[in-house]
Amino acid sequence: MRCSTLLSLAGVFASTTYSVNAFVKGVNQPWGNGQYGHWFTTGYVETDVANTFAAAQDIGAAWVRVWMFEGSQGLTVDGNGYITGMTTQFQDNFWNMLWYANYYGIQVYPTFFNYPPGTSNFNVANFFTNSAAQTSLVNNLIVPLCAQWGAHSNIIAWELYNELNGFANPYFSGGNVVAMSAAQAWVKATTAALKQHSSKQVSVSQIMISDSYHPVGTSNKDYVGLGLDFYNIHVYNDAGTLPAASAFGLDKPVYLGEFGEVTASGDQHQNDVVYNFIKAAQSGGWAGALYWCLGFKGDYQQNPATSCPDSSLMYSLFNCEGAERQAYTTFKYL
């Protein structure tokens, strides 16, 4: 069913209720199969979207995290680089994606942005430092977006930025592209704008900082006190180990928003990593865990999993031929 019908169904989506104490299993499916920057525009493939939510339902993934405007997809921009709205094509395809989420009973967790503005990967005016660009962002994107989807029963929360600390925290090589103070001010203001127009929770994701000079309990608090509803922390390693959520000393629930292996060592290795991470998150008081990433059923050359052939494949629960890997079943029964 396409969006001409979906728009008429906007008010009748079934509601799904989750216990606030329930551990959330989920997956990332950030963009379509090889469609970074145009999944919801020229690269939209409805069968891939349908298969995504069918597979998520099959493995018991309550949430699917998707990316919205990576590579500036779906945005209209004026001559000053100010965001002026969303394309009709993007809106239609996003509605279509939500229809499948509703049909399969899945909550969608959309992420707005990835790269910093004013770069080749996100060629818009820098709304972190340009107040006119920020005003345009709120008035022409946030408000209309919330008018369409701000109360949608299959959207669980909004994520403002993927791994914002990766370019705003000087810990990371090449970080501080945006000053931390500017990033924090933007998060606070944009969160407030979202909450004024949407009933959904708001978050930002961050890369876990942890080494002998930067303890977990003091190094991951960039976004405390800015109005966020939970924290989304990303961790990758080959052991599947995690600190307890309480070790971060944060004031809201902590989700493992991305996790996965860092070495391509075959199906058994991936399986062990998935098992260990989810068990560690469950026993360590994390609110949930979302694997990076689901991958695509029936499609050769997985992407964003990439790295085919199968011997070097990472980050996908499907192999290069689109068949279920061992970790698919393990995830399903955890």
Side-chain angles (χ1 to χ4, degrees), residues 4-333:
S4 57
T5 304
L6 299 183
L7 290 170
S8 68
L9 295 177
V12 297
F13 286 96
S15 176
T16 304
T17 302
Y18 293 94
S19 166
V20 295
N21 297 315
F23 181 85
V24 174
K25 279 196 316 180
V27 290
N28 287 271
Q29 193 80 306
W31 56 85
N33 196 17
Q35 305 298 336
Y36 180 89
H38 44 271
W39 185 22
F40 287 119
T41 54
T42 58
Y44 191 77
V45 180
E46 188 169 359
T47 53
D48 280 349
V49 173
N51 287 339
T52 289
F53 289 102
Q57 181 193 65
D58 185 52
I59 60 176
W63 294 11
V64 172
R65 178 173 174 253
V66 302
W67 291 9
M68 295 185 76
F69 305 114
E70 83 281 353
S72 304
Q73 76 157 338
L75 298 175
T76 57
V77 180
D78 70 13
N80 295 312
Y82 298 165
I83 295 171
T84 58
M86 295 175 284
T87 66
T88 299
Q89 183 183 50
F90 177 92
Q91 294 174 68
D92 286 349
N93 289 333
F94 200 80
W95 272 114
N96 186 245
M97 181 270 296
L98 288 171
W99 187 90
Y100 284 102
N102 178 71
Y103 182 82
Y104 287 103
I106 305 297
Q107 295 288 295
V108 177
Y109 176 26
T111 298
F112 291 166
F113 308 122
N114 182 29
Y115 283 97
T119 63
S120 59
N121 287 293
F122 190 23
N123 192 20
V124 301
N126 190 340
F127 45 67
F128 287 105
T129 56
N130 182 324
S131 60
Q134 167 66 352
T135 298
S136 184
L137 168 71
V138 170
N139 291 341
N140 298 322
L141 182 63
I142 299 300
V143 172
L145 181 149
C146 290
Q148 292 203 63
W149 305 307
H152 197 290
S153 61
N154 288 94
I155 291 178
I156 192 67
W158 305 111
E159 181 180 319
L160 300 179
Y161 241 102
N162 176 60
E163 297 182 350
L164 179 56
N165 66 336
F167 63 82
N169 189 314
Y171 173 86
F172 295 98
S173 175
N176 244 171
V177 173
V178 173
M180 177 67 74
S181 59
Q184 290 170 330
W186 181 85
V187 168
K188 185 174 183 178
T190 309
T191 297
L194 271 168
K195 291 190 171 187
Q196 183 179 354
H197 298 283
S198 171
S199 60
K200 304 303 180 180
Q201 298 182 92
V202 182
S203 68
V204 168
S205 67
Q206 60 194 94
I207 306 164
M208 184 179 73
I209 298 175
S210 177
D211 61 37
S212 56
Y213 299 101
H214 301 85
V216 162
T218 57
S219 303
N220 296 277
K221 297 185 176 182
D222 295 356
Y223 309 115
V224 172
L226 303 182
L228 300 175
D229 296 293
F230 59 88
Y231 299 100
N232 174 337
I233 296 178
H234 298 176
V235 184
Y236 290 83
N237 62 58
D238 282 330
T241 55
L242 289 170
S246 60
F248 293 97
L250 295 168
D251 58 338
K252 302 285 176 64
V254 182
Y255 287 81
L256 183 59
E258 291 181 17
F259 71 90
E261 64 275 25
V262 296
T263 304
S265 298
D267 280 8
Q268 186 61 56
H269 172 69
Q270 182 206 35
N271 184 75
D272 293 345
V273 170
V274 169
Y275 178 89
N276 290 340
F277 264 122
I278 293 180
K279 284 296 186 183
Q282 290 172 330
S283 64
W286 294 66
L290 286 73
Y291 180 64
W292 182 281
C293 60
L294 176 61
F296 291 90
K297 179 179 181 179
D299 288 331
Y300 181 71
Q301 296 292 346
Q302 295 295 322
N303 191 298
T306 69
S307 301
C308 288
D310 289 331
S311 59
S312 57
L313 178 64
M314 296 195 297
Y315 311 141
S316 176
L317 296 180
F318 294 96
N319 66 19
C320 292
E321 294 70 46
E324 298 164 8
R325 301 179 75 187
Q326 183 179 352
Y328 181 101
T329 301
T330 295
F331 186 104
K332 181 175 183 175
Y333 292 107

